């Protein structure tokens, strides 16, 4: 500490300091300030345009949707809406907006704000990338595609200032929980109009000083690449429950740097933990390490259109010869679970069929059944992954397992992210590393990726039986029946194996002892207003 | 002299035009576009996005549109940062890179020249051999090794200096050292050899014969001539410092333009890439011109025809 | 070549010895860069694993030796590419002089201003699948300096009498270039070539830092260092050993290059 100060003084009187006197405010001051490592820089602070874990963390502090989530159970709890009613056919939702809901500039928040915000998203000129998430509203897709011109036909209506009625296109059992996604948050249209055309993307309303929000916090300043600083919103309806005065989000995309900053007490909460630091914290500072399941699955995608992998026996053999436990225990070491099925555990009552296993002897037999007595006679198989040390290590391990257990030669190929995406979309690969993180807590979110016409399929696999089960599940109103259909669909998927699940993610974080009341959950969702600082 | 500068500046224009043209078409060769995502975006949404940024037009039309906008000093909107224009974003980040570059260059020059002097002063002693060997080792240590090592040693083991950020003076020490390190080694080598060469020249010997002290000879008489190769090295070095700083910017989490550039390339943020390339090109051209002029001042024999 | 100084001789023989080792040792000691022992994980250098092992339990000595081979291979071939382009370009530019020269040098100056990292990133994106194109990409970047140097040399050769007499005798330009000018640039080309090799090795390591280097499980010294940087606190040997090897090799190459440089007539005056 003293050394630090001496150096500081030395530096301060050196000629170099002439350049830098401007910024002497210590932005890492810990006083009543939660300092959060937030991975990458936020793209923007407009909840209707951006989407991503990084942005969601900030936006969920700035804004509040109709309903919020209980961080423990992940069940909907009142947000801007103090109560709601659902019709018997699950198509009509009526929300009562609370009368004490205000914008951060003191103006009252009404049902109309939701209507205008959602209309903005569905206006094609805005080109909101995530507009499709709103397509579950009645006629929303038709409006977006300009098939209908009148927004009154879209399923969202303000009955009066404090009553919002939402009509859905089809029963969407997860409609309420979905409201925690920032695309559903309201924006203050008068503010947007003040800073440009609200229906273009270049509006300046998200800058420091311009921003207006309705959540527990409001924007103090956003200095790109440095900090997003939020303070308690004095107009928030539940401001008494907000305990921490300031939230500082630092965009730190280098995991090692982030971890170092945490270790040197410049951060209270990190976005992740570098793979190789987990052991250090497990052994030395277990109180700072948070590892908990996360609804995401890491898997290998297989291009089933090209031989030899169009042969399901070979795919099965490949799956049987991956020792998933070895990967999770010795390489990942962050409490990840080996994936013997596709849909991660923790999604309510859904019981995924556990049919995958590690069995190299059976794998070898299957290979001979497929007419290949020895893997050496197969041409080399190539595993594609996007550039990253972690993916590389796993690929190298799998490469070795396939070689040892089946005798198959495996080549590895890493491509930069965009090239990798193009290769997958054009089915220009054999085996590719992939992952899926839940958008919302429902198994269908995982399974619908493999509908034959889904843009997320990217394997060339199609199975009419599978498609039928998923389509039936979309319309099924009985939740038990629906889960059964989904379980059957997953079973088909796991028997044909267009993908090889490898492990289920964990959320990894470092958290300081100062932070109290932190509630881990499978979504990685943090309700900032509940947190406290010691 | 003035004529020379005007001529050079006029030559900037076709050069920059060529760079814009090459880059514009070159970056579009790389697979993948700015809106390709892990989670599939429905085609109707994608169409809207492409229309919004005029990516649906034929390439030549986009090119003409871009050139016209650049002439109006408009570098377009960023694809990644919806509410920012490329110009605004560059204005935010360029000063940081320049500041880092200035510190690194100052460090490199002072260490390089100082060590050069010392080694020339102690010619043919162990001090000089040591410095020269260190110089060679220095140019063999890339900044992605020296950067983390400095961070590990001074930031963590000794807990002397912070290892990330760009707000406080003490945050700027390690990155400047890490970035300047390899250049100090280069400058040392160049300065040492030119200094030894100059020291063997006639007029220096005369000065020695007159009984002037060794250090006075070095500083007053020899250095002006000997600095010339160092100055000509500064041209490419300055350019490298500027464009190559992103490794250091990444390691020490500094919001400079170098890191933005690499990110933009990986994200296929076309307008951002173009904007940064143009800014870099202009800066490098100006830098080289300045170096030319300083060289003329150091050596009046160079003519500017 | 014969008059090369002792430092140069020593470093040349050391480089040679290192190369021999990297080819022979894996066979003698039965080392494999692929053999894993995941349960063993990363262990310190010991008698069993002289350089220790990495996180997948692979022998670091084997990987370092392999990395040396790869780094040299890249260094030599990319330098060759740079030489071919640079010498051709420089000869033409210097020999024809006048407008051709001005234009060609202007192009080089312009290319110098394109940030090379972008250039390489895009090249890698385009040709990522092909290991050999990596050399081409690096060579295609490194030729600029070579072209400048060769041009300077050609300009001075051109002034000499035998070129003028060749012209008087009516030799074709191509013949003069190949028979008379090219051999005279050889010295400088070898010297700068030898100085380009360490630069290319450095560049490859830099690409590996971006994750754009060789494809695993192959490794180069650069990619080993990158892996080491990420675990330097827990498993420091994974950073330190490849770094020391890398720095030593570059050191030897630079000493050799310097020694060769002293042989050039220009540096003697």
């Amino acid at each position: 500490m003293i050394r630090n100060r001496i150096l500081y003084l030395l530096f301060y009187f050196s000629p170099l300091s002439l350049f830098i006197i401007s910024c002497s405010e210590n932005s890492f001051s810990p006083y009543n300030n939660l300092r959060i490592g937030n991975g990458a820089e936020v793209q923007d602070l407009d909840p209707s345009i951006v989407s991503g874990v990084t942005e969601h963390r900030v936006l969920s502090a700035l804004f509040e949707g109709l309903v919020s989530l209980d961080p423990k159970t992940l069940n909907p709890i009142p947000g801007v809406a103090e109560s709601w009613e659902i019709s018997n056919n699950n198509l009509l939702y009526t929300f009562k907006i609370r009368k004490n809901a205000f914008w951060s500039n003191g103006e009252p928040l009404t049902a109309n704000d939701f209507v205008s915000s959602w209309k903005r998203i569905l206006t094609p000129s805005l080109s909101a990338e995530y507009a499709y998430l709103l397509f579950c509203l009645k006629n929303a897709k038709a409006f977006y595609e300009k098939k209908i011109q009148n927004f009154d036909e879209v399923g969202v209506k303000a009955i009066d200032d404090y009553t919002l009625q939402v009509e859905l296109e089809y029963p969407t059992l997860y409609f309420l929980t979905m409201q925690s996604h920032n695309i559903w948050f309201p924006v203050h249209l008068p503010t947007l109009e003040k800073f440009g055309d609200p229906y273009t993307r270049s509006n300046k309303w998200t800058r420091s000083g311009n921003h207006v929000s309705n959540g527990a916090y409001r924007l103090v300043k956003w200095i790109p690449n440095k900090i997003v600083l939020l303070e308690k919103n004095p107009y928030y309806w539940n401001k008494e429950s907000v305990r921490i005065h300031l939230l500082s989000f630092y965009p730190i995309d280098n995991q090692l740097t982030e971890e170092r900053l945490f270790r040197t007490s410049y951060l209270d909460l990190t976005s992740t933990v570098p793979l190789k630091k987990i052991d250090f914290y497990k052994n030395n500072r277990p109180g700072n390490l948070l590892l908990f399941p996360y609804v995401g699955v890491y898997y290998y995608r297989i291009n089933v259109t090209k031989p030899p992998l169009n042969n399901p026996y070979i795919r099965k053999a490949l799956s049987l010869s991956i020792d998933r436990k070895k990967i999770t225990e010795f390489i990942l070491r962050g409490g990840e679970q080996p994936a013997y099925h596709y849909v991660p555990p923790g999604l309510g009552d859904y019981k995924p069929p556990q049919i995958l296993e590690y069995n190299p002897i059976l794998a070898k037999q299957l290979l001979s059944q497929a007419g290949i007595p020895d893997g050496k006679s197969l041409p080399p198989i190539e595993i594609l992954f996007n550039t990253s040390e972690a993916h590389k290590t796993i690929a190298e391990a799998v490469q070795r397992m396939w070689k040892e257990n089946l005798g198959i030669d495996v080549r590895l190929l890493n491509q930069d992210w965009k090239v990798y995406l193009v290769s997958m979309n054009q089915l220009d690969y054999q085996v590719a590393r992939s992952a899926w993180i839940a958008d919302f807590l429902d198994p269908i979110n995982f399974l619908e990726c493999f509908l034959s016409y889904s843009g997320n399929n990217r394997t060339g696999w199609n199975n009419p039986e599978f498609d039928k089960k998923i389509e039936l599940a979309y319309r099924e109103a009985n939740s038990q029946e629906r889960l059964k259909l989904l379980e059957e669909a997953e079973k088909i998927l796991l028997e044909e194996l267009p993908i090889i699940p490898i492990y289920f993610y964990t959320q990894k974080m470092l958290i300081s002892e100062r932070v109290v009341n932190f509630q881990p959950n499978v979504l990685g969702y943090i309700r900032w207003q509940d947190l406290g600082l010691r | 002299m003035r004529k020379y500068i005007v001529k050079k500046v006029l030559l900037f224009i076709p050069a920059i035009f060529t760079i814009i043209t090459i880059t514009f078409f070159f970056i579009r060769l790389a697979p993948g576009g700015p809106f390709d995502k892990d989670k599939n975006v429905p085609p109707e949404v994608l169409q809207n996005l492409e229309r919004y940024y005029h990516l649906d037009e034929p390439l030549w039309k986009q090119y003409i549109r871009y050139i016209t906008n650049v002439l109006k000093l408009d570098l377009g909107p960023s694809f990644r940062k919806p509410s920012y224009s490329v110009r605004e974003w560059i204005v935010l980040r360029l000063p940081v890179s320049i500041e880092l570059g200035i510190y690194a260059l100052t460090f490199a020059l002072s260490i390089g020249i100082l060590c050069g002097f010392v080694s020339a002063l102690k010619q043919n002693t162990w001090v000089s051999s040591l410095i020269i060997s260190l110089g060679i080792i220095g140019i063999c240590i890339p900044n992605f090794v020296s950067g983390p090592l400095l961070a590990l040693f001074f930031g963590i083991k000794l807990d002397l200096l912070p290892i990330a950020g760009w707000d406080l003076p003490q945050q700027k020490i390690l990155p400047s050292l890490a970035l300047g390190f390899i250049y100090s080694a280069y400058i040392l080598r160049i300065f040492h050899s030119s200094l030894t060469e100059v020291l063997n020249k006639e007029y220096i010997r005369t000065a020695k014969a007159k009984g002037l002290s060794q250090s006075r000879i070095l500083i007053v008489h020899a250095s002006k001539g000997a600095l010339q190769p160092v100055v000509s090295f500064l041209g490419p070095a300055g350019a490298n410092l500027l464009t190559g700083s992103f490794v250091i910017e990444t390691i020490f989490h500094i919001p400079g333009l170098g890191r933005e550039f690499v990110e933009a390339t990986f994200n296929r943020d076309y307008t951002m890439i173009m904007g940064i390339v143009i800014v870099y090109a202009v800066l490098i051209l100006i830098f080289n011109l300045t170096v030319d002029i300083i060289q003329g001042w150091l050596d009046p024999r160079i003519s500017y025809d | 070549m014969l008059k090369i100084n002792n430092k140069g001789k020593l470093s040349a023989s050391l480089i040679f010895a290192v190369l021999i080792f990297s080819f022979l040792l894996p066979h003698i000691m039965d080392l494999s860069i692929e053999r894993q022992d995941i349960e063993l994980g990363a262990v310190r250098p010991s008698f069993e694993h002289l350089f220790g092992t990495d996180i997948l339990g692979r022998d670091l000595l084997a990987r370092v030796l392999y990395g040396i081979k790869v780094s040299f291979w890249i260094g030599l071939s990319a330098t060759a590419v740079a030489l071919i382009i640079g010498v051709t370009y420089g000869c033409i530019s210097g020999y024809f002089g006048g407008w051709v020269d001005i234009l060609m040098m202007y192009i080089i100056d312009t290319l110098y201003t394109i940030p090379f990292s972008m250039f390489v990133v895009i090249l890698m994106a385009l040709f990522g699948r092909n290991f050999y194109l990596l050399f081409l990409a690096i060579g295609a970047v490194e030729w600029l300096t070579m072209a400048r140097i060769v041009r300077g040399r050609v300009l001075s050769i051109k002034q000499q009498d035998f070129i003028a007499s060749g012209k008087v005798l009516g030799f074709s330009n191509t013949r003069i270039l190949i028979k008379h000018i090219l051999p005279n640039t050889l010295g400088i080309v070898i010297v700068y070539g030898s100085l380009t090799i360490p630069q290319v090795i450095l560049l490859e390591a830099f690409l590996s830092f971006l994750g754009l280097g060789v494809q695993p499980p192959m490794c180069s010294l650069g990619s080993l260092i990158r892996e080491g940087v990420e675990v330097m606190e827990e498993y420091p040997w994974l950073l330190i050993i490849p770094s020391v090897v890398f720095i030593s090799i570059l050191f030897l190459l630079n000493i050799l290059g310097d020694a060769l440089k002293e042989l050039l007539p220009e540096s003697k005056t």
Side-chain angles (χ1 to χ4, degrees):
Chain A
M1 195 57 211
I2 290 168
R3 272 185 307 194
N4 226 330
R5 186 147 303 157
I6 292 170
L7 255 147
Y8 184 89
L9 284 176
L10 275 177
F11 199 89
Y12 210 81
F13 292 109
S14 73
L16 288 186
S17 65
L18 288 176
F19 290 98
I20 33 190
I21 283 172
S22 56
C23 285
S24 48
E25 168 201 356
N26 190 340
S27 54
F28 280 110
S29 157
Y31 179 70
N32 208 353
N33 174 5
L34 184 67
R35 299 154 309 164
I36 305 142
N38 199 31
E41 167 69 24
V42 291
Q43 284 187 28
D44 201 358
L45 294 177
D46 184 334
S48 309
I49 290 184
V50 295
S51 167
V53 179
T54 313
E55 287 80 11
H56 186 264
R57 278 183 168 212
V58 182
L59 291 171
S60 64
L62 281 171
F63 293 89
E64 188 174 49
L66 288 166
V67 297
S68 182
L69 294 183
D70 180 325
K72 192 169 176 192
T73 61
L74 293 176
N75 286 331
I77 53 171
V80 174
E82 55 188 4
S83 66
W84 54 88
E85 276 165 33
I86 309 171
S87 70
N88 284 335
N89 59 2
N90 283 320
L91 284 175
L92 202 64
Y93 287 68
T94 313
F95 295 93
K96 278 275 163 222
I97 310 282
R98 59 180 78 245
K99 298 221 161 59
N100 55 351
F102 291 99
W103 290 100
S104 58
N105 58 4
E107 286 178 34
L109 189 156
T110 66
N112 275 309
D113 286 316
F114 281 93
V115 178
S116 55
S117 304
W118 295 357
K119 181 180 175 187
R120 173 170 177 257
I121 296 169
L122 290 169
T123 305
S125 71
L126 185 71
S127 308
E129 273 163 276
Y130 302 90
Y132 64 90
L133 290 173
L134 266 64
F135 288 175
C136 61
L137 299 177
K138 195 182 168 203
N139 285 333
K141 194 166 187 233
F143 180 80
Y144 185 80
E145 288 167 348
K146 294 186 179 162
K147 283 182 192 140
I148 57 172
Q149 305 299 328
N150 191 351
F151 193 73
D152 292 344
E153 289 174 50
V154 179
V156 54
K157 240 192 254 47
I159 305 286
D160 58 54
D161 273 0
Y162 297 101
T163 314
L164 183 76
Q165 199 181 60
V166 177
E167 197 177 344
L168 302 183
E169 189 83 47
Y170 41 85
T172 312
L173 290 174
Y174 43 84
F175 179 73
L176 281 179
T177 40
M178 206 161 63
Q179 298 299 311
S180 64
H181 191 290
N182 53 264
I183 194 98
W184 298 95
F185 295 166
V187 295
H188 190 239
L189 226 61
T191 302
L192 271 72
E193 275 156 6
K194 216 156 84 193
F195 297 105
D197 180 354
Y199 300 102
T200 65
R201 295 164 71 84
S202 49
N203 197 296
K204 310 263 180 252
W205 76 280
T206 53
R207 307 292 172 84
S208 312
N210 303 355
H211 200 266
V212 170
S213 63
N214 75 323
Y217 289 86
R218 67 177 180 184
L219 185 70
V220 179
K221 57 178 178 183
W222 173 25
I223 308 175
N225 315 307
K226 279 203 175 126
I227 190 173
V228 180
L229 182 64
L230 313 184
E231 66 174 1
K232 206 169 149 172
N233 177 2
Y235 293 102
Y236 182 53
W237 62 272
N238 196 11
K239 57 178 179 291
E240 287 77 21
S241 78
V242 182
R243 294 159 71 181
I244 300 176
H245 190 66
L246 292 172
L247 299 183
S248 311
F249 291 90
Y250 297 97
I252 304 170
D253 48 14
N254 186 319
Q255 300 182 4
L256 296 169
T257 307
E258 188 186 56
E259 188 272 336
R260 269 176 219 148
L261 283 173
F262 180 84
R263 201 166 357 134
T264 42
S265 305
Y266 286 108
L267 289 179
D268 301 311
L269 193 65
T270 66
S271 61
T272 183
V273 187
L275 191 72
K276 288 131 186 174
K277 296 283 180 214
I278 292 172
D279 275 356
F280 169 82
Y281 281 92
K282 264 189 195 158
N283 299 331
N284 303 310
R285 298 167 67 172
N288 291 132
L289 180 67
L290 274 182
L291 298 175
F292 47 95
Y294 187 50
V295 272
V297 57
Y298 186 103
Y299 61 90
Y300 277 179
R301 203 183 274 279
I302 298 176
N303 178 359
V304 302
T305 62
K306 278 188 206 161
L309 297 179
N310 56 354
N311 184 336
Y313 286 105
I314 297 182
R315 300 203 292 267
K316 222 171 219 170
L318 290 179
S319 167
L320 283 167
S321 50
I322 295 179
D323 189 348
R324 298 171 175 79
K325 222 170 159 187
K326 223 173 186 177
I327 292 177
T328 55
E329 260 175 40
F330 294 102
I331 300 177
L332 299 169
R333 289 183 296 183
E336 287 85 354
Q337 289 304 306
Y340 297 113
H341 47 93
Y342 167 59
V343 177
L347 292 176
D349 294 331
Y350 182 77
K351 285 181 200 61
Q354 307 233 6
I355 42 183
L356 305 181
E357 56 175 333
Y358 173 57
N359 189 339
I361 297 161
L362 184 62
K364 208 113 204 189
Q365 281 171 7
L366 278 177
L367 211 56
S368 357
Q369 271 176 38
I372 302 149
D374 185 9
K376 283 191 191 91
S377 55
L378 277 177
I381 291 176
E382 196 173 66
I383 303 179
L384 170 71
F385 57 96
N386 57 301
T387 309
S388 134
E389 283 299 309
H391 302 329
K392 186 177 114 182
T393 314
I394 291 173
E396 284 175 321
V398 170
Q399 175 185 42
R400 198 65 200 156
M401 288 169 187
W402 285 350
K403 174 87 188 163
E404 270 174 5
N405 292 332
L406 300 172
I408 297 177
D409 264 320
V410 180
R411 283 199 300 241
L412 303 186
L413 176 69
N414 85 81
Q415 290 182 333
D416 107 66
W417 178 244
K418 293 281 179 174
V419 187
Y420 152 87
L421 290 179
V422 170
S423 302
M424 279 210 302
N425 278 330
Q426 297 178 344
L427 291 182
D428 180 18
Y429 71 95
Q430 285 185 288
V431 177
R433 175 233 68 106
S434 282
W436 188 263
I437 310 281
D439 295 313
F440 47 87
L441 279 181
D442 196 287
I444 204 162
N445 183 233
F446 285 83
L447 292 166
E448 67 189 356
C449 297
F450 294 98
L451 283 169
S452 56
Y453 46 83
S454 162
N456 289 314
N457 184 310
R458 295 167 180 160
T459 59
W461 181 73
N462 74 79
N463 184 312
E465 189 88 11
F466 178 87
D467 285 7
K468 213 174 101 195
K469 301 243 186 246
I470 301 288
E471 279 155 9
L472 282 174
Y474 277 135
R475 277 180 231 112
E476 181 60 60
N478 179 317
S479 86
Q480 283 309 315
E481 286 299 313
R482 184 170 164 275
L483 288 182
K484 226 178 104 201
L485 282 167
L486 294 176
E487 282 163 21
E488 284 163 13
E490 180 169 356
K491 212 165 161 207
I492 297 173
L493 187 76
L494 294 178
E495 268 156 14
E496 301 235 337
L497 286 174
I499 54 164
I500 302 177
I502 297 192
Y503 70 88
F504 298 120
Y505 281 103
T506 44
Q507 179 90 351
K508 301 184 256 302
M509 281 181 177
L510 296 172
I511 187 165
S512 136
E513 293 85 354
R514 298 171 64 217
V515 184
V516 293
N517 209 17
F518 184 88
Q519 182 64 58
N521 55 55
V522 291
L523 269 184
Y525 166 75
I526 302 167
R527 206 171 133 88
W528 299 105
Q529 64 205 75
D530 291 353
L531 301 185
L533 271 182
R534 239 185 244 132
Chain B
M1 185 71 173
R2 183 173 296 161
K3 223 171 117 194
Y4 173 78
I5 295 175
V6 171
K7 198 177 103 189
K8 273 275 184 180
V9 170
L10 281 178
L11 277 174
F12 281 5
I13 296 164
I16 288 172
F17 186 75
T18 319
I19 290 166
I20 292 178
T21 311
I22 295 177
T23 318
F24 184 90
F25 292 101
F26 197 61
I27 50 176
R28 281 168 172 78
L29 281 178
F35 304 112
D36 284 343
K37 286 261 155 65
D38 190 6
K39 295 195 173 179
N40 187 57
V41 180
E44 59 272 19
V45 175
L46 205 61
Q47 264 172 22
N48 266 321
L49 269 169
E50 288 183 344
R51 193 171 315 131
Y52 186 89
Y53 291 109
H54 304 290
L55 290 173
D56 54 341
E57 290 175 358
L59 210 51
W60 62 269
K61 225 171 165 179
Q62 292 183 44
Y63 175 69
I64 289 172
R65 181 188 299 279
Y66 188 76
I67 293 283
T68 332
N69 285 341
V70 168
L71 290 178
K72 287 186 268 177
L73 292 181
D74 173 11
L75 297 174
S78 159
F79 297 156
R80 282 279 291 176
K81 315 276 185 303
S83 72
Y84 277 86
S85 74
V86 169
R87 198 174 55 192
E88 279 179 293
W89 201 255
I90 290 177
V91 167
L92 270 172
R93 296 186 82 149
L94 180 64
V96 174
S97 282
I98 290 186
E99 194 188 334
L100 172 64
I102 288 174
Y103 295 155
L105 209 57
T106 316
F107 165 74
L109 274 173
S110 35
I111 293 293
I113 288 176
L114 189 74
C115 290
F117 268 131
V118 173
S119 69
L121 207 62
K122 308 255 175 204
Q123 234 172 343
N124 303 325
T125 64
W126 64 271
V127 181
S128 147
S129 333
L130 181 74
I131 291 180
I132 297 305
S133 312
L134 285 179
I136 303 185
I137 294 178
I139 62 167
C140 303
I141 304 180
N143 52 15
F144 55 86
V145 176
S146 58
L149 282 179
L150 282 172
L152 178 67
F153 193 67
F154 290 102
I156 292 161
K157 294 270 183 268
L158 297 181
D159 197 16
L160 272 176
L161 291 166
I163 44 168
W166 194 253
D167 295 312
L168 306 170
Q170 66 265 38
Q171 287 173 324
K172 305 186 180 182
I173 299 174
L174 287 181
S176 309
L177 296 190
L179 183 59
F181 182 71
I182 198 163
Y183 296 97
S184 68
Y186 274 115
I187 290 172
L188 159 65
R189 278 162 59 89
I190 292 167
F191 191 56
H192 170 83
S193 63
S194 66
L195 202 56
T196 353
E197 203 177 300
V198 171
L199 282 180
N200 293 326
K201 287 225 166 100
E202 201 73 13
Y203 67 101
I204 300 292
R205 288 205 204 118
T206 327
K208 256 187 196 167
K210 278 186 186 159
L212 292 177
S213 81
Q214 179 90 354
S215 45
R216 192 184 152 82
I217 292 172
L218 268 176
I219 294 166
V220 179
H221 298 277
S223 59
K224 200 177 165 193
L227 271 177
Q228 210 191 308
V230 175
V231 172
S232 50
F233 170 73
L234 286 184
N240 270 333
L241 261 175
L242 202 63
T243 57
S245 61
F246 75 92
V247 171
I248 295 300
E249 288 176 11
T250 311
I251 293 171
F252 291 97
H253 183 239
I254 298 165
L257 202 59
R259 210 177 86 195
E260 181 62 48
F261 180 65
V262 174
E263 276 166 24
T265 321
F266 283 136
N267 290 323
R268 310 286 187 267
D269 192 343
Y270 297 142
T271 43
M272 186 70 82
I273 304 175
M274 296 294 302
I276 298 178
V277 166
I278 293 173
V279 168
Y280 274 160
V282 171
L283 282 173
I284 291 169
L285 289 171
I286 292 174
F287 209 80
N288 285 339
L289 181 63
T290 320
V291 166
D292 273 2
I293 293 168
I294 295 178
Q295 245 177 338
W297 174 74
L298 285 174
D299 185 356
R301 281 172 304 176
I302 293 181
S303 66
Y304 290 106
D305 295 332
Chain C
M1 279 311 127
L2 291 171
K3 279 181 256 162
I4 186 166
N5 66 23
N6 284 337
K7 265 196 244 166
K9 276 183 196 154
L10 183 65
S11 57
S13 22
L14 279 174
I15 293 169
F16 191 65
V18 167
L19 280 175
I20 295 283
F21 269 126
S22 67
F23 277 96
L24 290 183
L25 263 188
H27 294 291
I28 298 171
M29 297 176 63
D30 185 32
L31 299 171
S32 155
I33 60 157
E34 289 181 41
R35 200 182 304 130
Q36 301 178 355
D37 189 345
I38 295 180
E39 282 161 46
L40 177 71
V43 294
R44 283 173 187 289
S46 64
F47 188 70
E48 208 170 325
H49 299 282
L50 290 176
F51 282 5
T53 58
D54 71 3
I55 197 154
L56 287 170
R58 291 176 297 195
D59 187 76
L60 188 62
L61 177 61
R63 293 176 67 74
V64 165
L65 291 175
Y66 190 84
I68 292 174
K69 276 193 283 188
V70 171
S71 291
F72 263 99
W73 177 224
I74 292 179
L76 288 174
S77 31
T79 304
V81 173
L83 284 191
I84 293 168
I85 305 177
V87 170
T88 319
Y89 196 95
C91 278
I92 293 174
S93 174
Y95 180 71
F96 289 104
W99 275 108
V100 178
D101 185 37
I102 290 173
L103 183 70
M104 286 176 89
M105 281 302 119
Y106 182 68
I107 292 176
I108 286 205
D109 287 341
T110 311
L111 288 178
Y112 259 118
T113 51
I114 295 182
F116 114 94
S117 47
M118 172 212 73
F119 182 76
V120 175
V121 167
I122 292 169
L123 276 181
M124 293 311 298
L126 283 173
F127 305 120
R129 270 165 204 254
N130 197 325
F131 179 58
Y132 300 98
L133 282 166
L134 175 63
F135 309 147
L136 276 178
I138 294 178
V141 172
E142 287 286 321
W143 65 273
L144 295 174
T145 317
M146 181 60 70
R148 266 192 178 166
I149 288 163
V150 170
R151 170 201 171 249
R153 178 86 183 119
V154 171
L155 278 181
S156 70
I157 300 171
K158 216 169 66 170
Q159 311 300 325
Q160 289 168 18
D161 294 341
F162 67 96
I163 302 294
S165 54
K167 274 190 181 162
V168 171
L169 288 172
F171 290 161
S172 74
N173 282 334
T174 334
R175 180 169 170 173
I176 296 176
L177 262 175
I178 293 175
K179 284 241 163 174
H180 301 285
I181 293 193
L182 208 54
N184 277 296
T185 61
L186 210 58
I188 204 162
V189 166
I190 290 175
V191 170
Y192 281 94
S194 74
L195 287 171
T196 308
I197 295 174
Q199 272 175 19
V200 171
I201 293 180
L202 205 69
L203 199 59
E204 187 280 328
F206 165 81
L207 284 179
S208 295
F209 184 83
L210 288 181
L212 297 171
V214 295
Q215 296 287 354
M218 280 210 291
C219 54
S220 71
L221 289 173
S223 70
L224 289 175
I225 292 174
R226 172 192 158 99
E227 285 166 29
V229 164
E230 297 210 7
V231 290
M232 60 185 176
E233 283 180 72
E234 298 83 357
Y235 318 121
W237 64 93
L238 290 179
L239 171 64
I240 293 168
I241 293 175
S243 304
V244 168
V245 171
F246 179 70
I247 293 169
S248 324
I249 285 178
L250 286 186
F251 183 73
L252 292 175
L253 282 171
N254 276 313
I255 298 270
L256 179 64
D258 280 356
L260 288 174
K261 206 163 149 189
E262 278 179 23
L263 297 176
L264 284 183
E266 294 94 289
S267 65
K268 281 195 174 156
T269 49

